[in-house]
Amino acid sequence: MDLDIAIETKEKVRNPTIKLNKKLAIAIAALTKSEKKPFDELVSQEPTNKLIAVHFGVGDQDDYNTICNYVKQFGQNKIMIYPVRNYAFIEFQNIQQSLQLFQSLQVFENIKYANLQYPNKERATMFFYTNQQDLTGGGMCDIPNAMRQVNIPGLYLIHDFITPEYEKYILDLIEKQEWSKLKQRRVQHYGYEFIYGDNTVNVNQPADKNIPAFLEDVRAKVSELIKPQDQINQLTINEYLPGMGIPPHFDVHPPFHEKFVSISLLSGLVMSFKSFKGEEQHLYLPPRSCALFTGEVRYAWFHSIAARKIDKVEGETHFRSRRLSLTFRTIRNDLKCDCEYQFFCESQGYNPLTMKNKNPLLQEYLAKLNQIGIIQDNKVVPNKTQEEIQLLEEQPQQLQQMPKATEVEKKYVYEIYEKIAPHFSSTRYKPWPKIEQFLKSLESGSLVADVGCGNGKYLGSNPDIEMIGTDRSENLLKICKEKSDAYQVFSADSLRLPLKSEMFDAVISIAVIHHFSNKILRQQAIKELLRICKSKGLVLIYVWAMEQEEKTFNEQDVFVPWNLQFKYEDEKVINQEVQQQFKIDDQKKTVVYKRYYHVFKQGEIEELLSEMPGFKIVNNYYDHANWVVVLQKD
């Protein structure tokens, strides 16, 4: 009997070892298969602010909520969970927070885990440090990273348009109304029935029911919003359950007036937008918000809702739940539209049946823009002119002795940014999440250089580090100082930085290297970034990608137009009283300048770096139409 007890005790000790080692093997296999990288490359032996959590679940909301509830005790964080995958990506604001989490874990033969109580059962959840900026989820998370704010002409998002109390009041009454069943969802129509597929109404056949009296307050508020347009007289209520969506479309021009609004109830979700020029943006519509469509976004952008159960919003997971949308429109008395977007206008020759896949009106319009060079927002970037080709060919061929800026940089980079600085700054107000994440991952007290800091939008990203910014543009540096007297910035040539070697813990170069017109200068600029960085320090570099979706390039060396709005321009230039090489677009009220870019093909930045010693590439990825590398100095 004593022997049986001894064997049973030994089995209890041995079984956890076997069980955890089996789980570790499952974790390694799942990660390496999904991420297509070796396990040693995915995890870090040194502490970082980023973690991989293997939860051994299915990546649903229960898994997400359980992990969130556990990790929130250690500090503010972002969590991305991947559907049908058994792991998640966690990012804390600093390393100290992730260290606290690891200190709370159980350790068994170097396996660090926590027994977390999920709704169905208790499961061991393993944690690993990682240097990865994010994970792919094995392709299961090819979900666009939506923003809470976007810059789309004519689109306005109003948060908290109605109160939670009013939302509950109208929801209770909406539920009591009769629903019509479509193939995939339920709807209610008032005033006129919206015809799906054709995206119109029959003006000669009003619906049986007018907009309910209990919605009069919100209708009046919307009617006030769209003035001087006629009052709202049509409403469609759509019910969206998780996994439901709508295909890309826009409401036909007539019979609707220009402005309409969509109010979200119960749950938020991501709406996607695609312009006639191929641009794509994704916006998170929070509960009780009101999206106003007018002008270009109303007439010339497709909007859609992807059929999925999960969204990604600024790097965080958002699970969808039931959502109701209230779309208010105004029906026109006439069926004529004289908008400026004739290539999508039924009143001006557009036929959605015959022109859906090939639209000659749109092709003609884009060709005109391309011809006159007014395509700063256009997807297609024009080829070089003969003058621009000649300027590139005239560059000095031997720059090794004293690499310095050529006439290309002086005329099409330095002078242009001085000219467009205020307008440029107005379009660069929100830090990109991954760059901000990089800065927040650095240790407290780190000294960081932002070489080519522009208007300084990253200088305040992490209050726990010290940042110094440099730029060639005096006007952009003035904007930095106007933002904050605390910003430490000065003018410098990034080819010869007046900074000590081995001075900074990290260096960032965002959208700078691609402005140099030859290989020698690009390598010289990178050498300077490495020179001022300490040993084992990190260098983050962003360069424009040729393969991006935002623009289309026929060649790598390009001169990209910038449409400077009249309000930022000298009146003498607008009135053409001075002799300069520029074009004026009276329709858009802009002056067109050009900036030089060398757009990088995939792998080209790595090839450029392969000829240079003294560092290793610790990460590379694609972000915001840029190829990105992270270097660690030897």
Side-chain angles (χ1 to χ4, degrees), residues 144-148 150 270-273 280-284:
N145 189 25
M147 297 291 109
R148 298 180 185 274
V150 295
V270 169
M271 181 171 284
S272 298
F273 297 85
E280 289 190 45
Q281 298 196 50
H282 310 276
L283 175 66
Y284 177 66

Side-chain angles (χ1 to χ4, degrees), residues 54 98 152 193 281 336 343 512 575 587:
V54 183
S98 59
I152 298 177
E193 181 176 347
Q281 298 196 50
K336 292 185 178 180
F343 46 83
V512 175
N575 298 329
Q587 183 180 4

Side-chain angles (χ1 to χ4, degrees), residues 235-333:
L235 167 65
T236 296
I237 301 176
N238 282 286
E239 178 189 51
Y240 296 93
L241 300 179
M244 292 181 177
I246 53 175
H249 72 284
F250 57 83
D251 292 356
V252 297
H253 292 198
F256 302 113
H257 269 292
E258 175 187 348
K259 301 173 184 176
F260 72 88
V261 305
S262 177
I263 298 173
S264 299
L265 304 181
L266 287 175
S267 171
L269 54 60
V270 169
M271 181 171 284
S272 298
F273 297 85
K274 186 171 185 178
S275 81
F276 66 96
K277 294 170 284 190
E279 305 156 283
E280 289 190 45
Q281 298 196 50
H282 310 276
L283 175 66
Y284 177 66
L285 306 177
R288 297 183 299 280
S289 66
C290 171
L292 169 63
F293 292 69
T294 181
E296 183 176 313
V297 74
R298 153 71 174 98
Y299 288 126
W301 286 64
F302 293 87
H303 61 274
S304 62
I305 298 172
R308 57 176 180 254
K309 297 182 179 181
I310 189 172
D311 288 316
K312 184 177 180 181
V313 183
E314 297 188 353
E316 292 188 286
T317 302
H318 278 252
F319 284 90
R320 294 183 186 177
S321 57
R322 181 173 179 248
R323 170 183 178 261
L324 299 187
S325 70
L326 277 58
T327 304
F328 290 93
R329 304 178 179 90
T330 304
I331 307 303
R332 306 167 66 105
N333 293 324

Side-chain angles (χ1 to χ4, degrees), residues 32-229:
T32 54
K33 182 179 180 180
S34 296
E35 297 299 319
K36 295 181 171 56
K37 290 184 179 180
F39 186 68
D40 290 344
E41 185 177 333
L42 288 169
V43 301
S44 170
Q45 301 304 315
E46 299 298 324
T48 69
N49 68 317
K50 301 179 185 67
L51 310 176
I52 297 173
V54 183
H55 51 76
F56 301 101
V58 294
D60 60 11
Q61 190 158 8
D62 287 339
D63 294 332
Y64 177 77
N65 290 340
T66 302
I67 295 172
C68 282
N69 289 334
Y70 176 69
V71 302
K72 69 181 181 182
Q73 62 184 304
F74 304 105
Q76 188 174 349
N77 60 77
K78 291 183 179 181
I79 299 177
M80 189 68 203
I81 204 162
Y82 306 96
V84 199
R85 302 298 174 191
N86 64 2
Y87 57 89
F89 180 80
I90 303 170
E91 181 176 9
F92 284 105
Q93 285 192 321
N94 54 59
I95 294 177
Q96 286 70 28
Q97 293 168 336
S98 59
L99 284 170
Q100 290 177 17
L101 183 148
F102 265 72
Q103 290 169 1
S104 73
L105 299 177
Q106 299 183 55
V107 181
F108 200 94
E109 294 190 352
N110 293 322
I111 301 172
K112 299 178 176 62
Y113 68 98
N115 287 317
L116 303 185
Q117 186 62 51
Y118 293 84
N120 53 345
K121 61 181 289 189
E122 183 180 87
R123 297 202 301 265
T125 300
M126 298 181 179
F127 292 86
F128 307 91
Y129 290 117
T130 181
N131 279 317
Q132 303 294 309
Q133 294 296 315
D134 59 12
L135 302 177
T136 67
M140 294 301 297
C141 202
D142 291 334
I143 298 173
N145 189 25
M147 297 291 109
R148 298 180 185 274
Q149 182 179 352
V150 295
N151 185 20
I152 298 177
L155 180 64
Y156 303 91
L157 182 63
I158 305 170
H159 293 258
D160 299 315
F161 188 70
I162 60 175
T163 65
E165 294 76 19
Y166 187 72
E167 178 188 39
K168 183 179 185 307
Y169 164 71
I170 61 176
L171 278 171
D172 291 341
L173 293 170
I174 288 172
E175 299 289 12
K176 296 177 182 178
Q177 310 307 308
E178 183 179 355
W179 290 89
S180 298
K181 290 187 177 180
L182 301 179
K183 185 177 180 180
Q184 293 186 332
R185 62 180 188 275
R186 299 192 303 167
V187 299
Q188 296 179 23
H189 297 291
Y190 299 99
Y192 294 85
E193 181 176 347
F194 188 81
I195 303 171
Y196 295 95
D198 294 332
N199 303 314
T200 187
V201 298
N202 187 343
V203 295
N204 298 316
Q205 191 175 1
D208 296 334
K209 294 176 287 188
N210 292 321
I211 297 176
F214 66 82
L215 290 172
E216 185 56 38
D217 286 348
V218 69
R219 176 168 74 162
K221 192 173 182 180
V222 169
S223 294
E224 188 69 24
L225 189 65
I226 65 171
K227 280 184 175 181
Q229 185 172 298

Side-chain angles (χ1 to χ4, degrees), residues 526-540:
I526 295 172
K527 288 177 183 177
E528 283 293 275
L529 302 178
L530 289 163
R531 180 184 64 80
I532 65 173
C533 186
K534 291 179 180 179
S535 176
K536 305 305 179 183
L538 298 176
V539 177
L540 174 70

